[in-house]
Amino acid sequence: MKPIDPRLLRYARATRLFLTAVVALGAVGAGLLVAQAMLIAEVVVGAFQHSMAAAELRTPLLLLVAVACGRALVGWLTELAAH
C-alpha cells in the first residue's frame, strides 16, 4: 500500500473550512426550505379554505418573500464556498 501524498493532506486542511461552510449552509438551506413550504401552505389554506383577503395574509406573504430571499442568499453563499 502506498503512503498518502503529503500534498493531499495540506489540501485537505485548506479545504476544511470551506467544507464545513458548505455543510452548515446546506443545513440552513434545508431549514429555509421547510419554512417556505409551511408559509406557502399557510397562504394557500388561508386564501382558499378560510377565504382570507390579501391584507389578512400580508404577514405570511412578507415572510415568504423574506424566506425566498434568504434561500437565494444561502444558495449563492453555498456556491461561493463550494467554488
Side-chain angles (χ1 to χ4, degrees), residues 31-49:
L32 288 172
L33 180 66
V34 170
Q36 187 177 26
M38 291 174 63
L39 286 166
I40 289 172
E42 184 178 341
V43 169
V44 169
V45 167
F48 292 105
Q49 197 170 29

Side-chain angles (χ1 to χ4, degrees), residues 18 21-22 25 70-83:
F18 296 108
V22 168
L25 287 167
R71 283 192 63 209
L73 178 64
V74 167
W76 177 72
L77 290 172
T78 301
E79 289 293 323
L80 189 65
H83 188 299

Side-chain angles (χ1 to χ4, degrees), residues 37-68:
M38 291 174 63
L39 286 166
I40 289 172
E42 184 178 341
V43 169
V44 169
V45 167
F48 292 105
Q49 197 170 29
H50 300 299
S51 300
M52 296 171 80
E56 296 172 302
L57 295 171
R58 182 176 183 207
T59 301
L61 286 170
L62 289 175
L63 287 172
L64 185 59
V65 169
V67 168

